Amino acid sequence: MGVQEGRADECTTTSGDVLRITGGHHHRNGGVELWINLKQPVAHNEEGEAIYFAKDQCQVVHCDPRRLLVKMNHRLLNCWFFVGHGPHSGRSQDERSEWWQQTTDLLAAYIDDDPCFWLLDANAAPGAADNQVVYQPGLKKSVNTAKFREALEKFDMCLPSTTCIHQGSCHTWTSIDGHSAH
């Protein structure tokens, strides 16, 4: 699970078999976290035995209050987890562009051929369907859509929640008054 707005100091803790890695905060604001359930199987071997991640298989490669990049090194599955929190539309265009450029540069510097899972609050609507990144027609566009899509395309990513296999709402947050979902 990826957490945004965690506001925690930079640390790694384990409680109740959940590994929590935090990227720190900026003056008690922001902060991203990765939570990994060490008792939930990530796969099963040929004999049907459950396979789990372990704390010593995680390597923090980069962390700051808006980005956390972790490499998982397991004998059967090597992968990356990227937790990010993009600036919202109320921030300046320069700040938003700089965040996306720094994020793209960071990922390009480290990501190898292993799969990378993004747990991202992009603060961006997905935009129009192209059947490569976005599959659901009629989705909205926002001021951050172009930069979000550029990053997804650069890393050959797609948004699974826009495909036909997704069930349920695609909304990620609801307004405080409960009258609108976004």
Side-chain angles (χ1 to χ4, degrees), residues 44-49:
H44 289 83
N45 66 15
E46 299 81 21
E47 292 81 35
E49 297 168 338

PDB file of all heavy atoms in Angstrom, residues 44-49:
ATOM      1  N   HIS A  44       2.921 -18.304  -5.103  1.00  0.00           N
ATOM      2  CA  HIS A  44       2.988 -19.681  -4.619  1.00  0.00           C
ATOM      3  C   HIS A  44       3.981 -20.424  -5.512  1.00  0.00           C
ATOM      4  O   HIS A  44       4.014 -20.207  -6.725  1.00  0.00           O
ATOM      5  CB  HIS A  44       1.611 -20.350  -4.670  1.00  0.00           C
ATOM      6  CG  HIS A  44       0.671 -19.803  -3.649  1.00  0.00           C
ATOM      7  ND1 HIS A  44      -0.062 -18.655  -3.847  1.00  0.00           N
ATOM      8  CD2 HIS A  44       0.365 -20.238  -2.409  1.00  0.00           C
ATOM      9  CE1 HIS A  44      -0.783 -18.400  -2.779  1.00  0.00           C
ATOM     10  NE2 HIS A  44      -0.556 -19.356  -1.893  1.00  0.00           N
ATOM     11  N   ASN A  45       4.781 -21.300  -4.915  1.00  0.00           N
ATOM     12  CA  ASN A  45       5.753 -22.052  -5.708  1.00  0.00           C
ATOM     13  C   ASN A  45       5.085 -23.248  -6.386  1.00  0.00           C
ATOM     14  O   ASN A  45       3.873 -23.442  -6.265  1.00  0.00           O
ATOM     15  CB  ASN A  45       6.961 -22.464  -4.853  1.00  0.00           C
ATOM     16  CG  ASN A  45       6.606 -23.456  -3.760  1.00  0.00           C
ATOM     17  OD1 ASN A  45       5.541 -24.078  -3.759  1.00  0.00           O
ATOM     18  ND2 ASN A  45       7.523 -23.605  -2.803  1.00  0.00           N
ATOM     19  N   GLU A  46       5.884 -24.047  -7.077  1.00  0.00           N
ATOM     20  CA  GLU A  46       5.367 -25.191  -7.828  1.00  0.00           C
ATOM     21  C   GLU A  46       4.625 -26.193  -6.952  1.00  0.00           C
ATOM     22  O   GLU A  46       3.722 -26.890  -7.397  1.00  0.00           O
ATOM     23  CB  GLU A  46       6.510 -25.915  -8.575  1.00  0.00           C
ATOM     24  CG  GLU A  46       7.243 -25.078  -9.588  1.00  0.00           C
ATOM     25  CD  GLU A  46       8.314 -24.172  -8.960  1.00  0.00           C
ATOM     26  OE1 GLU A  46       8.781 -24.429  -7.824  1.00  0.00           O
ATOM     27  OE2 GLU A  46       8.652 -23.168  -9.606  1.00  0.00           O
ATOM     28  N   GLU A  47       5.007 -26.267  -5.680  1.00  0.00           N
ATOM     29  CA  GLU A  47       4.360 -27.186  -4.744  1.00  0.00           C
ATOM     30  C   GLU A  47       3.134 -26.565  -4.082  1.00  0.00           C
ATOM     31  O   GLU A  47       2.505 -27.183  -3.224  1.00  0.00           O
ATOM     32  CB  GLU A  47       5.353 -27.635  -3.655  1.00  0.00           C
ATOM     33  CG  GLU A  47       6.474 -28.531  -4.162  1.00  0.00           C
ATOM     34  CD  GLU A  47       7.593 -27.745  -4.820  1.00  0.00           C
ATOM     35  OE1 GLU A  47       7.903 -26.608  -4.386  1.00  0.00           O
ATOM     36  OE2 GLU A  47       8.154 -28.244  -5.817  1.00  0.00           O
ATOM     37  N   GLY A  48       2.810 -25.332  -4.440  1.00  0.00           N
ATOM     38  CA  GLY A  48       1.655 -24.654  -3.863  1.00  0.00           C
ATOM     39  C   GLY A  48       1.928 -23.957  -2.549  1.00  0.00           C
ATOM     40  O   GLY A  48       1.007 -23.437  -1.914  1.00  0.00           O
ATOM     41  N   GLU A  49       3.190 -23.917  -2.136  1.00  0.00           N
ATOM     42  CA  GLU A  49       3.535 -23.259  -0.893  1.00  0.00           C
ATOM     43  C   GLU A  49       3.566 -21.738  -1.087  1.00  0.00           C
ATOM     44  O   GLU A  49       4.049 -21.237  -2.101  1.00  0.00           O
ATOM     45  CB  GLU A  49       4.903 -23.727  -0.388  1.00  0.00           C
ATOM     46  CG  GLU A  49       4.955 -25.203  -0.062  1.00  0.00           C
ATOM     47  CD  GLU A  49       6.380 -25.694   0.163  1.00  0.00           C
ATOM     48  OE1 GLU A  49       7.341 -25.044  -0.313  1.00  0.00           O
ATOM     49  OE2 GLU A  49       6.528 -26.742   0.800  1.00  0.00           O
TER      50      GLU A  49
END
